[in-house]
């Protein structure tokens, strides 16, 4: 099909199916960005303050986009379950992996059950206090915590 079109030799070499897959991937990324923008707009219109943000640094499965932001407010559950406040579809997370709770001096990170959680290089047993800039590993995902100023409760 591309042979008959007036296009560059490089584009003809890609092949129809590879081009189709590339277009679908681009459209998926655009859809994801639109959803993030809509959520951010709804939060700002509702006047809800976000206490903290988790920034995805790495994903061992390389399924997720680095730099993706997750808003955390008050007490927040994180996991794969649809019941979680922050739902992340990673196979390395449990249904409800951990609970994040804002405190006056940072954020408490509490693993649920035997979930694997590491804060600043130390495996979390019962709970750990994360500060602004802390790294939090949940399963195979690594995040950087960004606390907004004036979050003292």
């Amino acid at each position: 099909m591309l042979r008959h079109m007036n296009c560059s030799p490089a584009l003809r070499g890609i092949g129809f199916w590879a081009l189709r897959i590339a277009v679908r991937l681009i459209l998926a990324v655009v859809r994801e960005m639109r959803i993030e923008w809509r959520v951010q707009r709804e939060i700002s219109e509702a006047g809800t303050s976000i206490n903290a943000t988790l920034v995805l640094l790495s994903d061992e499965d390389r399924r997720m986009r680095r730099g993706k932001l997750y808003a955390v407010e008050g007490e927040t559950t994180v996991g794969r379950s649809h019941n979680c406040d922050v739902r992340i579809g990673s196979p390395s997370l449990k249904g409800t992996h951990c609970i994040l709770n804002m405190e006056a001096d940072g954020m408490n990170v509490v693993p649920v059950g035997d979930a694997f959680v590491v804060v600043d290089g130390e495996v979390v047993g019962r709970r750990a206090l994360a500060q602004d800039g802390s790294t939090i590993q949940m399963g195979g995902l690594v995040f950087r915590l960004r606390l907004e100023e004036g979050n003292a409760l």
Side-chain angles (χ1 to χ4, degrees):
M1 180 172 178
L2 290 176
R3 287 184 294 242
H4 303 294
M5 296 174 61
N6 188 12
C7 61
S8 72
L11 191 58
R12 271 186 253 137
I14 291 176
F16 176 74
W17 293 107
L19 182 61
R20 187 172 177 182
I21 291 170
V23 168
R24 284 187 177 189
L25 287 173
I26 291 169
L27 291 174
V29 169
V30 168
R31 266 193 306 272
E32 185 178 320
M33 291 172 66
R34 281 184 174 169
I35 291 169
E36 285 183 33
W37 292 334
R38 189 181 75 226
V39 168
Q40 289 174 357
R41 187 181 69 236
E42 288 173 0
I43 289 171
S44 66
E45 287 174 357
T48 305
S49 65
I50 298 172
N51 294 323
T53 304
L54 290 175
V55 182
L56 182 63
L57 297 179
S58 67
D59 171 17
E60 71 180 12
D61 297 327
R62 298 181 185 210
R63 293 180 173 193
M64 305 177 74
R65 182 172 51 86
R66 285 181 51 198
K68 185 166 182 168
L69 305 176
Y70 297 93
V72 178
E73 181 180 311
E75 184 173 290
T76 303
T77 55
V78 179
R80 280 193 338 254
S81 171
H82 291 286
N83 297 329
C84 289
D85 300 314
V86 175
R87 184 179 181 280
I88 304 172
S90 172
S92 66
L93 294 183
K94 295 189 174 290
T96 302
H97 199 85
C98 69
I99 300 169
L100 306 176
N101 192 8
M102 291 302 299
E103 299 289 336
D105 53 348
M107 177 179 288
N108 267 325
V109 180
V110 181
V112 175
D114 62 348
F116 181 71
V117 178
V118 177
V119 174
D120 292 330
E122 295 195 24
V123 177
V124 179
R126 293 182 138 194
R127 70 179 54 228
L129 186 66
Q131 304 293 331
D132 184 43
S134 290
T135 57
I136 302 172
Q137 180 178 352
M138 300 176 211
L141 306 173
V142 179
F143 299 90
R144 170 102 42 228
L145 178 64
R146 293 287 175 224
L147 296 177
E148 293 184 4
E149 298 208 15
N151 285 336
L153 299 176

